[in-house]
Amino acid sequence: MFTDEEFEKYLKELDNPDLSEFEFFTESTGVKVYRRYNKTSGLYDYKTIGGIDVPVDTCFAVYTDLEYRKKWDSYVKELYQFEEDGKKGVYWRVAFPFPLSNRDYVFVRETREFDLNGKHIYVCLGRSAEFKSKKEKSGVVRVNDFLQSMIFTSDGNGTKAFMHYYDNPRGMIPTWLINWAAKSGIPGFLAKMVIACNSYDKYLASKK
């Protein structure tokens, strides 16, 4: 799905993020967000860098646990992994506020772990992909231009994280509204994720 070169590229960004084409956007709870303008779509892609005050193993487990995501993320309406012709994919339907239509995503995701310079690093790469079995649904807008890559390592007690994110939600949504929503949406997602991490042991215990 993803090449060794793609993983190596993101590994380098953890300690030396490439921000040459990005501008500072916002900062919240120790996490800095940078953005880059896309002339074609009128939207931005984002890079976030900062610390999350939870152990890295827990942070990675929560981020990749699709079943748990449905418990703590109220915007998730459907989320599951599937397989088609030996290729694994993820289907994700997201609730948008009224009167906007829900959006859905079909994408591939791959995780790898690395030991580099004395650090154990988790990398999770995801991007849009087409699957014949996942046709567009009536009343739901398909987001077919999506990228989300996350890199985690320990900063001693908590987690040092890097994220690169872009999506084009399509439909009749003004670009200024999408860009405005990102300013609170990205830090908001990270804040909810911290809460989810702190409740993860309790969730796992409830499944036994």
Side-chain angles (χ1 to χ4, degrees):
M1 289 189 294
F2 296 89
T3 65
D4 292 343
E5 288 74 19
E6 287 176 289
F7 276 93
E8 290 169 6
K9 171 181 175 289
Y10 279 108
L11 274 173
K12 294 176 182 177
E13 296 238 36
L14 183 63
D15 289 326
N16 297 293
D18 181 5
L19 301 173
S20 56
E21 299 178 359
F22 287 72
E23 63 180 4
F24 177 77
F25 182 44
T26 188
E27 182 174 3
S28 177
T29 61
V31 176
K32 294 182 178 180
V33 182
Y34 299 84
R35 67 181 185 177
R36 176 175 60 183
Y37 186 66
N38 184 315
K39 293 181 180 179
T40 302
S41 67
L43 302 172
Y44 293 87
D45 65 318
Y46 299 90
K47 289 185 177 181
T48 69
I49 306 150
I52 303 173
D53 193 22
V54 293
V56 65
D57 292 348
T58 302
C59 196
F60 177 73
V62 167
Y63 179 73
T64 55
D65 189 330
L66 300 184
E67 286 301 311
Y68 185 45
R69 178 73 175 265
K70 291 186 283 188
K71 300 290 185 181
W72 62 266
D73 188 343
S74 60
Y75 292 104
V76 173
K77 293 305 176 185
E78 286 186 80
L79 181 60
Y80 58 86
Q81 186 169 288
F82 64 91
E83 188 170 327
E84 179 182 296
D85 298 330
K87 181 180 177 182
K88 291 182 179 180
V90 177
Y91 178 81
W92 178 31
R93 182 163 66 90
V94 181
F96 271 49
F98 180 83
L100 301 176
S101 299
N102 287 355
R103 263 62 180 170
D104 67 1
Y105 301 72
V106 178
F107 60 98
V108 290
R109 186 178 73 164
E110 184 177 352
T111 61
R112 296 188 192 177
E113 298 181 32
F114 300 86
D115 289 297
L116 187 66
N117 299 325
K119 297 179 180 179
H120 190 73
I121 303 171
Y122 300 92
V123 183
C124 182
L125 306 184
R127 65 173 169 232
S128 298
E130 292 187 9
F131 289 85
K132 294 179 182 178
S133 62
K134 301 302 173 189
K135 303 295 185 183
E136 294 190 28
K137 300 179 180 181
S138 177
V140 180
V141 178
R142 173 64 49 84
V143 178
N144 51 22
D145 191 5
F146 164 73
L147 160 76
Q148 187 174 40
S149 302
M150 290 286 292
I151 303 94
F152 305 98
T153 194
S154 174
D155 65 2
N157 296 313
T159 298
K160 180 179 180 181
F162 169 87
M163 179 174 72
H164 185 200
Y165 183 85
Y166 174 79
D167 78 23
N168 183 348
R170 301 173 62 213
M172 302 301 291
I173 308 176
T175 54
W176 68 264
L177 180 59
I178 299 169
N179 293 329
W180 172 83
K183 191 163 190 174
S184 58
I186 295 174
F189 166 75
L190 294 173
K192 288 198 296 182
M193 189 169 161
V194 169
I195 295 172
C197 287
N198 290 331
S199 302
Y200 194 49
D201 286 344
K202 183 177 180 180
Y203 165 76
L204 292 177
S206 71
K207 295 178 63 178
K208 295 180 179 179

